[in-house]
Amino acid sequence: MLSNLIVTNQKVVLIIDQLNRDRIALKFITSLLSEQGEGNDIKTLPIGTQLKHVANFDALLNDCANSASNQQSNPTDPITTKTGYNVILPTLADLLCYQTPAFIFDYLNKLRQSEHVRRVFLWASPMHLQHPDADYILAGCEYMAELVLRLETDSTLSLISRKPAGGVTNKRYKCQVSKTEFNVKPVTEGADTTSSPVTTTQETPDISDPGRTFKIELDEDEVVARNALTLPYERTSETEEGNIIYTPDANDDFDEEDPDEDLLIKMCSHSDRQYKPWL
Amino acid sequence: MATSLLLACGLNEQKLPGFVHISEESNVDGSFLISCILGQRLRISNAGTLLVCLQNHYQHYFNAGMRLGYNSNIFLGKTLNVIDVLSDMARLGLTSKWLRSPDGLTLTEQLVKDIREQLEKNYPNRSSYTILIDNLSILINLGASKQQVQQFCLDLADLAKAHDNLTVITKLSNSDIHPLTDNNVAKLGNVRIQVLRLKSGVFRDVDGKLLIERVLDDEGSYSCEQTRKEVLYKVNDRNVKIYNPGEIGVKV
C-alpha cells in the first residue's frame, strides 16, 4: 500500500500531482493516514476564502500545541504514544491564491520545527499553479520536503526520500489505483527487461526517470557486448603475440656442443675481487 | 427550443448542481448556453436569477431570449435581477464604480459585494436562486489579475456552499489561452461543460462540440469517477439543435 511508504518518520511530505486530482487532495491524504491508524490525529486549515486570514494559520499552530498539551495531561489517551498531529495543508494553488510564497515557506518552516506537529502534507498540482513563479515555488517546496511523492501517470509514481542522516533515495513504483485502494509495486530493472524487450534496445537515456542524468543500467545485449570487449591494456599483457614461431627446416645444422666451451668464464663474488693481484 | 440541449447537459432540472463551469474555446461562441439556461430558469415559478452581464449588455440577452421564445423583460425586477457592468460603464464613463475602485475595492471585490447584496435581498423570497456570470475573461480584460479572478470564483463557490438551492454558473471564454484559470475554476464544481470547435474544420451543419464532464458525488478517496458525454450542436436562428457524434455527416 502507498500509505506504508508515505506515513513514515519523514516530517514534511510533498505530493506532486500531474493527473489533475486536486479536488480529492484532502480525501487522498486522509485515507493514507487512516490506513495507518492515524486518522484521528489530523488537523487541517479552513479552505476557500478563509485562507486570506493570517489568523487562521496561527490558530492551527496554537491548536496543535494546545491539543498536544491536553494529550499529555491525559495519560489514558491512546494517542499519547505518538507525539503531535498530522497537518494537512490546503493545495498549493489555493494557498498561493491568498498568500505570498514567502509566507507559505515561512509557515511550512514553522510547522516543520514545531514539536507538536508529527507530519505536514502539502499537495501541489502543476496544472493548477498560475503564479508567475510557480516553477521556482514548487522547487522550493521540493527542497523543504523530506518525502516527495510524484504521481506521474495512472500507473507509475516516484518517491524521493531524504533521511535525516543525509541519505537520499529515489525509487519508482508501479501502482494500481481503485476508489478505495492504492497498491504499489517497486519497479525492478529485471522486470523492466523482461516485460518490455523493445525498450531495452534503445540507446537514449530513460527520460522518464527524472532523478538520473545518465542511463546506468545495462540490458542483456549490452552486458554480453561488454564482456566480449578486450581492452587495450589487456591486449599488451598477452604473451602469445610476442612469441617467435619457428618452423624447423630440413637443412638446419644444429650444433649439439656448446660453442663457448673453450672460454674461461669464471663467476666471482665481490669479496674475491678485492684480492686480485692485477687490480 | 433548447430543451434537448439542456437535457444533454443535465441542466434541465429544477434543482441544479451548486457550481457549474462553462469553458469556451477560442473561435467558438457558447453564449447560446447562457441564453438557454436563463430561459429555463425564468420559466420555473418563484426561481430567482441574477444575471451578471460582462460580455454583453442586458439588451443582448433580451434579444437572444426573444429569439429563443421567452421575454426576459417580463421577469425583470421580479424573479430576474441584473448587474449590467457594461451599461454602467457606458453611461457613467470613468466615474463608474467598476472603473474608479471606490472604498479601495478591486473590480472583483466590488462585484462580489454587489452579488452578496442582491442575494441577501432576493434569496429568502425564492425557492431557488441562480447566479449567471457571463463571462470571467472579461474581468481579465478589465484589468483584474488571474489571481483576483480565482478569488472571485472561490467567493462564489463559498456562497453556493453556504446557501441551499443556490447555483453559480460561470463561463470563461478563450479557455485554451487561460488553461490554469480554467482548471482552477472548474475544480470548484462537479459539472464542467466545454464548448469546443470541430477539429476537422468548419462544417455547415454543425457549429461545434459540447463535452460535458460530471464528477460523480460518491467519488472515491484515491480516484474520482467522471462521466463524459459529447454532443454536436448547431445554433439556428431560433433554436439550438444537437446531434450525437456520427449522427450527421457529409451527404454525397
Side-chain angles (χ1 to χ4, degrees):
Chain A
M1 286 192 295
L2 180 65
S3 59
N4 294 331
L5 303 172
I6 298 299
V7 184
T8 59
N9 290 329
Q10 269 95 341
K11 197 164 184 180
V12 183
V13 180
L14 173 68
I15 301 173
I16 300 175
D17 162 44
Q18 296 174 331
L19 301 171
N20 204 3
R21 288 182 184 150
D22 221 48
R23 65 171 76 230
I24 58 164
L26 183 61
K27 273 188 175 181
F28 190 102
I29 298 168
T30 306
S31 299
L32 289 178
L33 289 168
S34 298
E35 281 177 8
Q36 296 297 316
E38 299 194 19
N40 296 324
D41 314 341
I42 297 173
K43 297 277 181 194
T44 56
L45 274 169
I47 55 170
T49 53
Q50 296 298 311
L51 290 174
K52 74 174 84 163
H53 306 297
V54 177
N56 286 331
F57 290 83
D58 297 332
L60 178 71
L61 272 174
N62 294 333
D63 188 26
C64 286
N66 294 336
S67 302
S69 60
N70 289 341
Q71 282 176 16
Q72 285 170 357
S73 63
N74 181 14
T76 57
D77 196 335
I79 294 175
T80 50
T81 53
K82 297 173 182 175
T83 57
Y85 284 88
N86 292 299
V87 175
I88 304 176
L89 293 173
T91 61
L92 188 57
D94 287 350
L95 285 171
L96 284 170
C97 185
Y98 289 105
Q99 300 296 340
T100 60
F103 178 85
I104 295 167
F105 287 136
D106 183 43
Y107 189 67
L108 206 55
N109 205 30
K110 278 182 188 168
L111 288 171
R112 191 168 64 166
Q113 289 173 350
S114 171
E115 59 183 5
H116 307 299
V117 175
R118 199 185 307 162
R119 280 178 217 95
V120 186
F121 292 90
L122 178 62
W123 186 285
S125 294
M127 292 164 80
H128 288 89
L129 297 176
Q130 61 178 357
H131 194 280
D133 301 320
D135 291 343
Y136 292 104
I137 295 164
L138 192 57
C141 292
E142 278 192 69
Y143 176 74
M144 292 183 82
E146 292 162 10
L147 203 63
V148 181
L149 169 68
R150 192 182 293 269
L151 302 170
E152 294 170 350
T153 64
D154 282 328
S155 59
T156 57
L157 60 88
S158 68
L159 190 66
I160 299 173
S161 172
R162 295 190 184 94
K163 301 275 169 55
V168 180
T169 57
N170 183 7
K171 291 181 180 170
R172 301 191 74 234
Y173 296 87
K174 283 186 177 176
C175 52
Q176 205 171 10
V177 188
S178 68
K179 271 188 177 179
T180 52
E181 283 190 349
F182 201 117
N183 295 317
V184 291
K185 199 171 75 175
V187 174
T188 54
E189 290 171 15
D192 267 359
T193 308
T194 53
S195 62
S196 55
V198 178
T199 56
T200 55
T201 56
Q202 64 185 8
E203 293 177 0
T204 53
D206 187 8
I207 54 168
S208 64
D209 188 351
R212 292 173 182 172
T213 312
F214 303 104
K215 177 177 177 289
I216 58 173
E217 298 93 346
L218 289 177
D219 57 37
E220 199 174 337
D221 294 341
E222 286 168 340
V223 169
V224 171
R226 187 183 68 173
N227 293 338
L229 180 69
T230 308
L231 297 173
Y233 72 90
E234 291 174 325
R235 259 186 247 133
T236 54
S237 66
E238 286 172 356
T239 54
E240 292 174 0
E241 291 185 12
N243 288 350
I244 298 169
I245 300 170
Y246 179 73
T247 309
D249 191 21
N251 298 326
D252 281 347
D253 182 20
F254 289 104
D255 192 359
E256 297 296 329
E257 295 178 358
D258 185 4
D260 298 329
E261 194 180 12
D262 55 335
L263 295 176
L264 291 173
I265 297 173
K266 182 182 179 185
M267 298 296 290
C268 61
S269 66
H270 179 68
S271 56
D272 291 341
R273 203 179 298 161
Q274 287 179 348
Y275 298 103
K276 295 295 179 186
W278 56 87
L279 290 177
Chain B
M1 297 295 172
T3 313
S4 55
L5 173 73
L6 295 172
L7 191 68
C9 297
L11 300 176
N12 58 323
E13 296 171 12
Q14 285 207 2
K15 183 172 168 46
L16 296 179
F19 197 99
V20 177
H21 179 58
I22 300 168
S23 309
E24 187 185 88
E25 214 178 21
S26 304
N27 294 331
V28 286
D29 187 4
S31 301
F32 66 93
L33 268 172
I34 294 288
S35 294
C36 293
I37 294 167
L38 179 63
Q40 193 261 352
R41 300 316 292 171
L42 291 177
R43 285 192 184 98
I44 299 170
S45 62
N46 204 32
T49 307
L50 174 64
L51 177 64
V52 181
C53 310
L54 287 162
Q55 187 169 4
N56 304 291
H57 52 72
Y58 168 71
Q59 192 63 32
H60 166 85
Y61 297 94
F62 167 72
N63 293 335
M66 291 301 282
R67 295 250 177 183
L68 288 172
Y70 65 89
N71 183 351
S72 59
N73 276 348
I74 297 172
F75 306 97
L76 191 60
K78 296 167 189 166
T79 57
L80 173 64
N81 300 101
V82 175
I83 298 176
D84 199 345
V85 178
L86 288 188
S87 294
D88 284 353
M89 285 197 292
R91 193 173 64 251
L92 302 172
L94 291 173
T95 58
S96 162
K97 65 180 175 183
W98 309 111
L99 295 175
R100 66 184 171 87
S101 305
D103 311 325
L105 296 176
T106 61
L107 171 66
T108 50
E109 287 169 343
Q110 182 66 48
L111 211 47
V112 170
K113 187 184 165 199
D114 280 26
I115 290 170
R116 281 182 187 278
E117 284 173 3
Q118 290 279 352
L119 197 63
E120 283 169 17
K121 200 164 61 180
N122 299 310
Y123 175 77
N125 310 321
R126 304 291 168 211
S127 58
S128 64
Y129 205 77
T130 308
I131 301 172
L132 287 162
I133 314 286
D134 185 23
N135 77 55
L136 296 172
S137 62
I138 304 298
L139 293 173
I140 299 171
N141 296 347
L142 289 172
S145 66
K146 290 177 181 175
Q147 192 182 15
Q148 285 172 343
V149 172
Q150 193 181 340
Q151 289 172 358
F152 173 66
C153 293
L154 280 167
D155 276 317
L156 295 175
D158 272 8
L159 284 178
K161 279 178 193 160
H163 297 80
D164 289 334
N165 295 327
L166 173 65
T167 301
V168 176
I169 299 175
T170 57
K171 194 183 91 174
L172 179 75
S173 294
N174 302 326
S175 59
D176 46 343
I177 297 173
H178 313 293
L180 297 174
T181 307
D182 193 41
N183 284 339
N184 279 316
V185 179
K187 79 172 182 185
L188 298 174
N190 287 345
V191 180
R192 179 188 200 175
I193 302 169
Q194 295 186 61
V195 188
L196 307 168
R197 59 177 175 265
L198 292 176
K199 282 180 186 171
S200 51
V202 181
F203 183 39
R204 189 182 56 184
D205 294 334
V206 176
D207 286 340
K209 186 168 68 175
L210 294 178
L211 177 60
I212 302 128
E213 294 174 326
R214 186 180 286 261
V215 178
L216 301 179
D217 286 336
D218 58 341
E219 60 189 49
S221 308
Y222 293 122
S223 64
C224 48
E225 197 174 331
Q226 279 189 339
T227 58
R228 292 162 66 92
K229 189 160 79 172
E230 273 186 25
V231 290
L232 307 173
Y233 70 87
K234 170 69 181 172
V235 182
N236 293 316
D237 200 24
R238 292 186 177 274
N239 61 16
V240 184
K241 280 193 173 178
I242 63 161
Y243 307 97
N244 288 319
E247 186 181 334
I248 191 163
V250 179
K251 290 170 186 145
V252 181

